[in-house]
Amino acid sequence: VGGPCRAEEIISYVRSLRLPDGSFRGRTAVASEGDCRFVYAALCTLSLLIAPPADPDGDSQVLDETVAWLLRCQNLDGGFGCRPDGECESHAGHTFCSLASLRLADESGKLSLPPRNRSRLVRWLCDRQCGTAGGLNGRPGKAPDVCYTWWTLASVELLRGRCGKASTETAADLVDELDMADFFDLSDLRGFIAKCMCSAGGVAAHPGDDPDPFHTFFGLAGLSLLDHADTSRTGAKPWLASISPVLAMPVSYVQHAAPRGYGRCADRGVDVRSSIARHSE
């Protein structure tokens, strides 16, 4: 602790977790299987260290298989599960991990979803707001939870021009021009977050619960996206720092504090393929 970053060892270990189908596992156990959460964690790590996802002498198209695997995680209802081909139900956390991974994996920072898939995803995300409670849930039939403020709003941010358009422009592509207020009742959402805040400090998962670090972080991270969405709409000055919807880190840190001096990450996250070229120069 406090010593130099052992980047090369970290990079080597993360690469060793990649499976032949393009996904990543969470540990080296033989029975481990790929999961979009592990894919996201792996690509985030390699991005922050400005490292290629596989050995530089290996397949230069290594991420194509990863992208194809992630796209197969989208279910018929529009959301993403943690594994492909309808094996797991759609979940807001898995949807975020899949979209952010696709953003990190694409050299242009764009994501091409077929128009129907894109429309279904937009509808599924909009359906996460829970009636009079105002909060967002992770999947149908569940109570709202403050952490889904992040998973859901960040997913919308990734769609709003961050992940590009399908090749044929349709009504679904208009999402790029919409404000966050076109997706959710922001006043009700703010009210729900306020009810989850505790007088002694911290943010709880639900109103009346005890706060914890996990929900405090993701509650504030989601509130930052909400705050800056309001700023772009009303011109009011934001009171929370801007946070990257790709990396879930303050934009100022992502820009100026990449480990080991490997380089500077972009405002909305970094591109792994571009980092390969920089790393090998």
Side-chain angles (χ1 to χ4, degrees):
V1 177
C5 176
R6 297 162 62 179
E8 298 304 332
E9 294 178 44
I10 297 171
I11 291 167
S12 178
Y13 174 72
V14 172
R15 286 179 185 152
S16 74
L17 299 176
R18 185 178 180 275
L19 296 170
D21 62 5
S23 66
F24 285 79
R25 54 186 173 177
R27 55 197 177 104
T28 54
V30 175
S32 297
E33 60 184 11
D35 186 304
C36 71
R37 294 168 291 187
F38 302 147
V39 174
Y40 174 65
L43 296 186
C44 271
T45 301
L46 297 173
S47 296
L48 289 170
L49 294 177
I50 315 299
D55 189 287
D57 297 326
D59 183 4
S60 62
Q61 303 299 316
V62 63
L63 281 178
D64 291 345
E65 293 176 347
T66 302
V67 168
W69 187 91
L70 288 164
L71 290 174
R72 286 169 49 210
C73 290
Q74 188 174 20
N75 292 321
L76 290 176
D77 61 6
F80 285 73
C82 63
R83 288 188 50 75
D85 303 328
E87 186 175 330
C88 300
E89 67 177 316
S90 298
H91 186 281
H94 303 154
T95 298
F96 164 78
C97 288
S98 296
L99 292 177
S101 296
L102 288 164
R103 166 64 179 84
L104 288 166
D106 194 284
E107 61 184 350
S108 65
K110 295 182 178 180
L111 165 64
S112 293
L113 286 175
R116 181 172 294 181
N117 294 42
R118 189 176 175 85
S119 296
R120 287 173 174 170
L121 176 56
V122 169
R123 181 179 60 190
W124 188 86
L125 289 169
C126 289
D127 285 345
R128 302 281 56 78
Q129 189 156 31
C130 299
T132 57
L136 306 175
N137 64 14
R139 49 197 168 125
K142 296 294 182 179
D145 183 320
V146 78
C147 72
Y148 293 109
T149 307
W150 167 258
W151 307 119
T152 306
L153 296 190
S155 295
V156 170
E157 281 292 280
L158 291 168
L159 280 174
R160 290 177 61 235
R162 272 51 170 195
C163 290
K165 301 180 179 180
S167 56
T168 302
E169 186 169 316
T170 68
D173 296 321
L174 295 177
V175 65
D176 299 337
E177 309 300 327
L178 297 177
D179 292 325
M180 193 71 76
D182 295 311
F183 292 83
F184 309 107
D185 186 319
L186 302 187
S187 178
D188 284 356
L189 180 53
R190 279 186 178 276
F192 175 79
I193 298 171
K195 292 176 183 176
C196 294
M197 293 180 176
C198 302
S199 59
V203 182
H206 315 100
D209 288 357
D210 291 329
D212 61 78
F214 179 91
H215 289 92
T216 297
F217 174 77
F218 286 111
L220 290 175
L223 190 58
S224 171
L225 295 179
L226 185 58
D227 192 31
H228 285 266
D230 275 348
T231 296
S232 63
R233 185 167 56 92
T234 66
K237 184 177 180 180
W239 63 280
L240 286 170
S242 178
I243 192 165
S244 164
V246 179
L247 296 176
M249 299 171 67
V251 169
S252 59
Y253 179 84
V254 173
Q255 288 179 318
H256 302 298
R260 269 194 64 187
Y262 271 76
R264 182 168 60 87
C265 298
D267 184 348
R268 293 291 178 178
V270 297
D271 174 66
V272 177
R273 296 182 196 249
S274 297
S275 73
I276 295 174
R278 291 197 299 271
H279 186 65
S280 60
E281 287 177 352

